Amino acid sequence: MFKIIPLELETHFAEGTVNAFLAIGDSVTLIDTGNPGKASFQQLQSKLHTHGVSLKDIDRIVLTHIHIDHAGAIPSILETIDLPIFVHEQAQGSINTGLDEYQRVETFFQQFLTSCGADTMQHIIKRPFKEEKWRNISYLNQGDVIPLGGLPFKVVHVPGHSQSDILLWNEETGDTFAGDHLLKAFSVNAFIEPPIKGDVARPRPLLQYRSSLEKVSKLPLKTIYPGHGEAFSDHQSLIHTRLLEQEKRCDQILAILASGGKCIYQICREMYPRLQGHTVFLGLSQIQGHLDLLEEREQVSFQQQGSLVIYHLC
């Protein structure tokens, strides 16, 4: 008998909790792992124990994406047991990276905040360099099929929230592990990320996310197990709601720019006045994504003023 068991784990992020899942059938698979650190790892082990499972019972770990609240416990797990890890190939450039890559990424975010008119010392979380040694990694691609708890799940690449986001979908049952691609409780942020090493242009995550939503809207999904919140169904209605929300944000930005050109931080202060400290980055990322969309629609344009970028209505 196949069953899916949610493991609700605490997180220090605004969402409050994050979901990992057990897929139990002919084998036992862990989908996502929760946050880094000893306390989070102990909580994960405790949740497993509650359901009569230990790490040695698990056949593999599959990650819906590599954000820290979903993949953060990997180092602690690997200190305890050697388990195969499966993740989308877009994560390859972010795993087991050295100091040079860390500095490249940090430089990108410093430049992004400066271009927004934000404070590089206050408006983003500073993450110290920490070397990690993941091993036994296999990379997934769109269309691959991987067993979860013994049942076949199809990999659907859905970049937007991050570059490595995937859905895991069983075509027979409609059961779907959605990570942070589809959340019923709140809107998903399509995060600004640096270009892939060797590329010049950064990804345009909101445009990617909208394309991913369109792709997923055509799939006959049934029960969706998200990275945050409770399971749900009727993903087409949710996708319609999220697209309407994006249009509303675009209208807000156009109204703000009607009084004259502004940098992204100025737009952020008007749209999200309650954001403070490092949470400002969430607003900057959200607004940049929508400006990318408006720029593609030829409704806004930008000018470079030194290191600052100013957006105007077309």
Side-chain angles (χ1 to χ4, degrees), residues 93-94 97-111 193-202:
S94 302
T97 56
L99 184 58
D100 288 349
E101 176 63 10
Y102 167 81
Q103 291 174 337
R104 184 186 76 88
V105 171
E106 287 296 297
T107 298
F108 167 81
F109 284 117
Q110 294 285 319
Q111 292 172 344
E193 294 188 36
I196 296 171
K197 192 173 183 179
D199 288 354
V200 175
R202 64 167 173 82

Side-chain angles (χ1 to χ4, degrees), residues 43-81:
Q43 187 182 30
L44 173 64
Q45 289 182 298
S46 176
K47 295 276 184 174
L48 294 174
H49 180 72
T50 298
H51 297 285
V53 174
S54 68
L55 288 174
K56 65 180 176 59
D57 298 317
I58 293 171
D59 69 336
R60 67 193 64 197
I61 298 170
V62 183
L63 300 174
T64 61
H65 59 303
I66 59 166
H67 282 170
I68 195 168
D69 54 333
H70 293 263
I74 290 290
S76 296
I77 291 171
L78 293 179
E79 287 177 5
T80 306
I81 191 171

Side-chain angles (χ1 to χ4, degrees), residues 18-208:
V18 62
N19 295 328
F21 294 94
L22 287 173
I24 301 179
D26 292 341
S27 61
V28 180
T29 304
L30 178 64
I31 297 96
D32 290 345
T33 70
N35 281 290
K38 182 180 294 186
S40 184
F41 179 52
Q42 289 175 342
Q43 187 182 30
L44 173 64
Q45 289 182 298
S46 176
K47 295 276 184 174
L48 294 174
H49 180 72
T50 298
H51 297 285
V53 174
S54 68
L55 288 174
K56 65 180 176 59
D57 298 317
I58 293 171
D59 69 336
R60 67 193 64 197
I61 298 170
V62 183
L63 300 174
T64 61
H65 59 303
I66 59 166
H67 282 170
I68 195 168
D69 54 333
H70 293 263
I74 290 290
S76 296
I77 291 171
L78 293 179
E79 287 177 5
T80 306
I81 191 171
D82 196 8
L83 286 173
I85 300 166
F86 291 80
V87 63
H88 191 268
E89 67 169 0
Q90 282 291 337
Q92 192 166 355
S94 302
I95 294 174
N96 295 341
T97 56
L99 184 58
D100 288 349
E101 176 63 10
Y102 167 81
Q103 291 174 337
R104 184 186 76 88
V105 171
E106 287 296 297
T107 298
F108 167 81
F109 284 117
Q110 294 285 319
Q111 292 172 344
F112 171 67
L113 262 68
T114 300
S115 73
C116 292
D119 188 330
T120 60
M121 300 300 293
Q122 294 186 39
H123 293 151
I124 193 170
I125 297 174
K126 298 287 186 180
R127 299 195 186 280
F129 174 69
K130 184 178 180 181
E131 189 174 19
E132 293 183 350
K133 296 289 186 182
W134 292 24
R135 58 187 182 272
N136 203 3
I137 306 166
S138 296
Y139 292 103
L140 301 169
N141 286 283
Q142 167 72 26
D144 287 349
V145 176
I146 183 170
L148 306 181
L151 289 187
F153 279 73
K154 191 170 186 178
V155 174
V156 184
H157 186 212
V158 286
H161 174 66
S162 82
Q163 298 304 297
S164 63
D165 274 44
I166 57 173
L167 291 180
L168 298 159
W169 166 50
N170 181 276
E171 294 183 89
E172 183 175 344
T173 67
D175 289 335
T176 304
F177 297 99
D180 285 358
H181 175 67
L182 289 174
L183 302 176
K184 192 167 186 178
F186 48 86
S187 179
V188 172
N189 201 330
F191 285 109
I192 296 299
E193 294 188 36
I196 296 171
K197 192 173 183 179
D199 288 354
V200 175
R202 64 167 173 82
R204 292 188 160 199
L206 186 66
L207 302 182
Q208 291 176 313

